[in-house]
Amino acid sequence: MKHFFSTICLSFTLLHAFAQEKVVALKYGDMDSWVTRTIHESAVIGGDDKTLYEVGPNKHIDGNNPYRNLGNSPWGTSNVMAKVSGIVKTNNTVYREKRGNGYCARLETHIERVKVLGLVNINVLAAGSLFLGDMTEPITGTKNGEKYQNWGVPFNTRPKALRFDFRFKSSGEPNRIKLTGFGGSNEVKGKDKAIVLFLLQKRTEDNSGNITAKRVGTMVVTYDKSTNGWTNGATYEILYGDIRKNPKYNAETMKLRSVDYARNSKGKNVLVKETGWATANETPTHMLLQFTSSHGGAYIGSPGNTLWIDNVRLVY
């Protein structure tokens, strides 16, 4: 009888927990609405018309104009228009793909190739990246590409978890390559992984426009094995405060960061330096979320790595 009542109590507790769960979809997080852009590349590299995809309201744009997020979309992508020495070139690594009655996002790692009149041959490895924030176009060089990215959006609540649907296809290669566009490729040890990075920060900007941040919340997950179809409703707990002694802490992927850029109040993209861990009950000022088909940083990965993402939500 005692065991019976314990079971009943546990069942009611679980039912109460599920009843209390609140799920909030991120704007355009169902990936069913997209902006398409037709960019006309320069004649010297072939003069092709290329289509770039952005998560936002259903709209088509024709012309070589710098893109700014439309419809209050919080989403940026690694799809960009570059203009280097007067030459217009595009990179598209995030695609709209049909899924059921709607769409999803497909993120691919590939090699972007550029030839100018047969004289210049530049090959760059590019990973597909979908993130909260935006890009500053046009890109004017291959060096320090991160400075064009405005990372994160204003945010001041404390969700329990991140939830989304995903598929993953691994390239199958045992090691990665680094291909920056200058010289040949270099081998980077270790299998390529797709990575999902979710951070909550409390940011502070000084009078000079420098931005520092305390880390409030952390969730990082990687995938290195191909999935058998879709995983729906994958849910990952957000860890709060200083998590270095938490068994789930991974120093390689969850450590404090000083490699990300954000637009300050003066309209300039500056480096965001994380200076420490916030207390566990701190309220954030910004949310950062990035889905990427390769890990390891710019120009590093394995061509063929592909990550599909759909239905991005926060759980409270």
Side-chain angles (χ1 to χ4, degrees), residues 147-193:
K147 69 180 181 181
Y148 295 96
Q149 187 176 18
N150 174 36
W151 250 68
V153 295
F155 186 78
N156 61 4
T157 63
R158 293 167 51 88
K160 295 179 181 178
L162 177 70
R163 181 174 293 170
F164 53 89
D165 305 345
F166 78 95
R167 283 177 60 197
F168 176 62
K169 179 174 73 70
S170 170
S171 71
E173 295 295 326
N175 294 305
R176 297 161 285 165
I177 61 172
K178 182 173 184 179
L179 194 58
T180 65
F182 301 97
S185 65
N186 297 314
E187 186 176 79
V188 178
K189 295 294 184 182
K191 189 176 182 181
D192 199 11
K193 305 174 185 178

Side-chain angles (χ1 to χ4, degrees), residues 65-84:
N65 300 309
Y67 180 73
R68 298 290 181 267
N69 289 13
L70 297 179
N72 293 318
S73 174
W75 296 99
T77 73
S78 52
N79 299 342
V80 293
M81 176 184 70
K83 191 172 185 179
V84 182

